[in-house]
Amino acid sequence: MDRIEKLCIEKGMRMTDQRRVVARVLSLAHDHPDVEELYHRAHEADPHISIATVYRTVRLFEEPASSPAMTSRAPLPLRRGAGHHHDHLIDMKTGQVVEFVDEEIEALQNAIAKRLGYRLVDKA
């Protein structure tokens, strides 16, 4: 049993097989994967895991009753595919994920980054 799974069980969280996979992937990570990277790694271990399941699981891990170390592991917005940036809305009750592109959001992100002395780059 990995350290994150152990913490979750100690906090009373029910551990499904898919939650165990996500917890194991996070425990083995030597970096701080975002939700999309976490999904890709978990999906390699269990092809039945959906990105919505990963979002719901990370949300559970982020709740105060679970490990505080999980909070910084899922930065949004996600970036997917070469040059194709989009954002997500997630229904936190159902896990439904809605993808969208909004040029105003893109412009605002760029303006804020520039104002703070940063340049946004796509990791794709």
Side-chain angles (χ1 to χ4, degrees):
M1 183 181 307
D2 64 67
R3 66 183 175 81
I4 295 174
E5 183 178 353
K6 196 178 286 187
L7 281 170
C8 292
I9 290 171
E10 287 171 7
K11 300 293 183 183
M13 182 184 292
R14 188 172 69 88
M15 292 303 291
T16 65
D17 289 341
Q18 291 182 338
R19 286 181 188 161
R20 280 189 179 86
V21 169
V22 174
R24 188 176 331 115
V25 168
L26 280 170
S27 289
L28 295 173
H30 296 290
D31 56 351
H32 297 282
D34 62 15
V35 177
E36 184 169 328
E37 180 58 29
L38 178 58
Y39 163 70
H40 288 297
R41 295 176 191 181
H43 191 263
E44 285 180 19
D46 180 352
H48 298 99
I49 292 179
S50 70
I51 194 160
T53 296
V54 174
Y55 271 107
R56 284 191 303 268
T57 302
V58 167
R59 179 178 165 260
L60 287 172
F61 288 168
E62 288 179 335
E63 289 179 356
S66 58
S67 171
M70 305 308 301
T71 303
S72 65
R73 294 199 182 252
L76 295 175
L78 300 178
R79 296 187 182 272
R80 181 183 297 186
H84 177 69
H85 176 252
H86 62 276
D87 295 290
H88 298 87
L89 294 174
I90 302 136
D91 183 317
M92 300 308 283
K93 290 182 182 174
T94 67
Q96 178 185 4
V97 178
V98 176
E99 298 178 358
F100 68 96
V101 175
D102 187 293
E103 294 306 319
E104 289 181 68
I105 290 174
E106 299 304 309
L108 183 58
Q109 289 173 341
N110 285 316
I112 292 169
K114 184 177 181 179
R115 184 176 67 229
L116 296 174
Y118 290 89
R119 178 179 59 88
L120 296 180
V121 296
D122 194 281
K123 67 182 179 181

